Amino acid sequence: MNEVLKNIYTRASVRRYKADKVPDEDIKEIIRAGFHAANGMNRQAIEFIVMENKNSIRKYNRKAIILFAEMMKASGQPNPMIDKMVDDPNADVFHGAPVLVFVYANPSVVTPVEDGSLAVGNMMLAAHSMGYGTCFIGFAAGLGNDQEFRKECNVPDGHKYLACMILGKPDGNVEKHSRSDVKVLNWVK
Ligand SMILES: Cc1cc2nc3c(=O)[nH]c(=O)nc-3n(C[C@H](O)[C@H](O)[C@H](O)COP(=O)(O)O)c2cc1C
């Protein structure tokens, strides 16, 4: 099996991290890999926020939990798991990762969800190939759209929030991801 395929098949979401700092050069490389993903009409609209400051991560973790719980309630689908996290001061949606990467699209974007997802996929595989762990954090959706957070992180008005990915050195072995058999609905020859 070639190295690219091996990298794909051995990546898994990581939810335990060492506190070690990730060198800036490595973060830049991983983001660059994200930016090099395919994107609609080559608008190159994907932009990033990198957060490493421990106090900020702590503060935004709490905020992410509260905002996500509010989002779920507002959508008419209150989630008991997230409600429990609101009451748990140790709950950590960022799994102790030393780096958070938020992904936004500037207004020139034509296919935001696709572009953001492909960028995160590239970043996950690039990070894994460099010995880092990652995980997509859907729980950060409320935070990424929050006015105060956006202002504090210098996100321009009109930028669309797309994703949050955590990054760092895995603490312990990375468990192999699990998948059932591939289903091919039809193969027309
Ligand atoms: C859109 C999206 C949102 C996710 N949100 C979270 C999250 O908030 N917290 C978390 O621990 N994992 C999150 N995950 C990770 C998934 O649980 C994980 O990818 C899935 O269980 C498959 O495992 P694997 O990534 O190890 O292959 C998310 C993944 C995606 C694609």
Side-chain angles (χ1 to χ4, degrees), residues 33-86:
F35 190 64
H36 276 249
N39 62 99
M41 296 178 78
N42 199 20
R43 292 286 170 94
Q44 303 178 38
I46 297 299
E47 299 179 12
F48 305 89
I49 303 285
V50 178
M51 188 168 294
E52 293 183 280
N53 180 281
K54 284 187 174 39
N55 289 333
S56 301
I57 292 178
R58 204 172 300 123
K59 170 175 132 181
Y60 291 130
N61 170 53
R62 197 83 299 267
K63 198 158 189 183
I65 293 170
I66 290 164
L67 289 169
F68 197 78
E70 284 172 4
M71 251 174 69
M72 296 307 284
K73 275 200 194 103
S75 72
Q77 299 173 292
N79 180 324
M81 188 174 94
I82 192 86
D83 288 342
K84 237 169 108 180
M85 290 170 89
V86 173

Side-chain angles (χ1 to χ4, degrees), residues 137-149:
I137 303 299
F139 277 138
L143 180 67
N145 284 309
D146 179 63
Q147 278 314 317
E148 192 181 76
F149 172 82

Side-chain angles (χ1 to χ4, degrees), residues 11-13 15 93 95 135-139 177 179:
R11 181 216 56 86
S13 292
R15 298 186 177 86
V93 289
H95 303 296
C135 187
F136 197 118
I137 303 299
F139 277 138
H177 72 216
R179 291 292 186 275

